[in-house]
Amino acid sequence: MNKIEFIAITENELPEYIFLCYNGDYDFLTNYHYKKMGVVEAVEYELSLIKEAVFEFTFYKVLYAGIKIGYVVAFGDFIFSFSVAKKYRKKEILEQWWEMMLYFFREGIKFGMLSNNIRAINFFKKRGMKITWESEDVKEKRELLLTF
């Protein structure tokens, strides 16, 4: 039985969930984020990217058996930002999260992310996603689009 729920929240509620996910994830903040940042700075930076985007996003909190474990920021089937808190990145929970992502956003789901986020890219590739676009920017961290 899938214990994952996505529940719509307001943009004002979002910082709590981003902080929950970034807090304690030193590996993400130093290796996979836009640049090395502390937790508060990374949360503020993520929020600024969301505010600067031209999309009308829908914001979701992610619950597992009623416990707050993450968030999703989406525009239709395009996932702009997402995370599951480090302590909940267990195989069973992540598999249920993935099932719910496909159910909730359908099989046309797309993720935007940076090329240095190897951890997430490998997770999605194992589930059948493919890189369908890559920025031509020659920087070390390029933007990617993964599509299912």
Side-chain angles (χ1 to χ4, degrees):
M1 178 181 162
N2 195 321
K3 299 176 184 176
I4 296 286
E5 295 178 88
F6 292 172
I7 299 173
I9 58 174
T10 66
E11 186 174 356
N12 291 335
E13 295 172 278
L14 187 61
E16 170 189 353
Y17 292 90
I18 297 174
F19 183 83
L20 169 77
C21 294
Y22 288 8
N23 192 29
D25 193 350
Y26 181 77
D27 192 37
F28 173 73
L29 295 173
T30 57
N31 297 314
Y32 304 118
H33 201 257
Y34 302 96
K35 61 181 183 176
K36 291 181 182 181
M37 297 181 181
V39 175
V40 173
E41 185 183 14
V43 170
E44 289 172 356
Y45 186 74
E46 191 69 24
L47 289 168
S48 74
L49 291 175
I50 291 165
K51 288 182 191 308
E52 291 171 8
V54 296
F55 305 111
E56 288 190 30
F57 291 118
T58 305
F59 308 97
Y60 300 95
K61 63 182 173 183
V62 179
L63 304 178
Y64 176 74
I67 299 167
K68 299 173 186 178
I69 68 162
Y71 74 93
V72 175
V73 176
F75 175 71
D77 61 3
F78 174 66
I79 309 305
F80 184 82
S81 182
F82 67 95
S83 189
V84 173
K86 183 178 179 180
K87 75 183 219 177
Y88 298 104
R89 291 185 203 139
K90 311 284 189 247
K91 184 176 180 179
E92 175 187 343
I93 294 172
L94 290 175
E95 289 300 328
Q96 289 183 31
W97 175 84
W98 177 243
E99 287 175 18
M100 188 58 72
M101 290 294 285
L102 291 179
Y103 173 78
F104 209 77
F105 297 105
R106 307 293 178 223
E107 291 190 10
I109 192 169
K110 299 168 203 62
F111 287 85
M113 66 185 61
L114 293 176
S115 61
N116 69 315
N117 196 344
I118 301 302
R119 184 171 70 180
I121 292 167
N122 288 338
F123 176 86
F124 293 124
K125 281 184 168 182
K126 286 179 185 174
R127 282 146 188 86
M129 295 195 81
K130 295 184 177 13
I131 296 172
T132 56
W133 178 85
E134 188 170 344
S135 71
E136 294 181 14
D137 196 336
V138 293
K139 289 189 269 181
E140 178 183 328
K141 300 174 186 177
R142 296 176 313 281
E143 294 174 332
L144 303 175
L145 179 68
L146 282 92
T147 306
F148 189 74

